[in-house]
C-alpha cells in the first residue's frame, strides 16, 4: 500500500471532494433578491483593504481631534474651581492654582506620548497638536492670571526692592444702603 493512498480508491486520505453530483437544483440557479448586487459583494481584496485603511485613518484622525480638544473640558473645570476658591490667599486657593499650573505643564511635556497611538502616514497630526498646545497654554495662562489675582506674582518694583514703597491700591469696596 502506497503512503498517502486510501484503501478504497484513488485520492489521498485527507482530501475532500466538494463537487455536487446530486440532481437537486443548485443555489446558482436561484435569482438574486431585489436590490442585491453580486459585483459589490465580490470585491477584490485590494479594494477592501484600501477601504479598511482609509476608515482606520479616518478613525485615527477623529480620535486625534478628540484628544486635542480634551484640555478644553479641563480648562472649564479649572476656571470654575478657581472662581469657587475666591480671591483670598488660603490653602485651598493656592492648591487649586498650582494644580492649574501643573496640569498644562505636564500635558505639554507628554505631547509625544499622547499622540503616539495616532501616528500614521495618512493621518496629519499637526493641526490637532497645535490645538492641544494652544488649549494647554490657555490653561497655563489661566493659572498665571489666578496667581496675579491672588497677589502672588511680583508685578511692581516694590516687590523686588524693599526700600521702595508698596504700590497704591486702586480698588475700593463699597456698597449697601446709606443709613443717613
Amino acid at each position: 500500500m502506497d503512503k498517502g493512498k486510501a484503501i478504497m480508491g484513488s485520492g489521498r486520505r485527507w482530501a475532500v471532494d466538494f463537487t455536487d453530483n446530486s440532481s437537486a437544483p443548485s443555489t446558482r440557479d436561484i435569482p438574486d433578491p431585489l436590490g442585491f448586487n453580486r459585483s459589490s459583494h465580490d470585491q477584490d481584496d485590494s479594494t477592501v483593504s484600501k477601504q479598511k485603511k482609509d476608515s482606520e485613518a479616518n478613525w485615527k484622525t477623529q480620535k486625534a481631534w478628540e484628544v486635542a480638544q480634551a484640555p478644553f473640558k479641563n480648562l472649564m473645570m479649572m476656571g470654575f474651581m478657581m472662581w469657587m476658591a475666591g480671591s483670598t490667599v488660603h490653602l485651598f486657593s493656592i492648591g487649586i492654582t498650582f494644580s492649574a499650573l501643573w496640569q498644562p505643564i505636564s500635558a505639554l511635556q507628554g505631547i509625544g506620548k499622547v499622540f503616539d497611538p495616532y501616528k500614521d502616514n495618512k493621518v496629519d497630526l499637526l493641526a490637532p497638536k497645535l490645538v492641544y498646545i494652544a488649549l494647554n497654554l490657555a490653561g497655563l495662562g489661566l493659572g498665571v492670571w489666578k496667581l496675579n489675582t491672588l497677589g502672588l506674582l511680583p508685578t511692581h518694583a516694590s516687590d523686588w526692592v524693599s526700600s521702595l514703597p508698596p504700590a497704591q491700591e486702586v480698588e475700593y469696596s463699597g456698597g449697601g444702603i446709606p443709613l443717613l
Side-chain angles (χ1 to χ4, degrees), residues 156-176:
H156 301 288
S158 62
D159 293 333
W160 299 97
V161 180
S162 63
S163 62
L164 294 176
Q168 293 292 326
E169 295 292 330
V170 293
E171 295 180 11
Y172 63 94
S173 97

Side-chain angles (χ1 to χ4, degrees), residues 109-121:
Q109 287 175 343
I111 193 168
K113 292 179 184 175
V114 170
F115 287 99
D116 197 32
Y118 310 111
K119 280 187 181 177
D120 195 356
N121 292 337

Side-chain angles (χ1 to χ4, degrees), residues 143-164:
V144 170
W145 171 80
K146 184 63 175 180
L147 279 177
N148 188 35
T149 303
L150 293 174
L152 298 176
L153 284 182
T155 56
H156 301 288
S158 62
D159 293 333
W160 299 97
V161 180
S162 63
S163 62
L164 294 176

Side-chain angles (χ1 to χ4, degrees), residues 42-53:
D42 297 334
Q43 292 177 345
D44 63 334
D45 292 337
S46 64
T47 308
V48 172
S49 65
K50 184 181 178 202
Q51 288 176 349
K52 188 175 181 181
K53 287 179 182 178

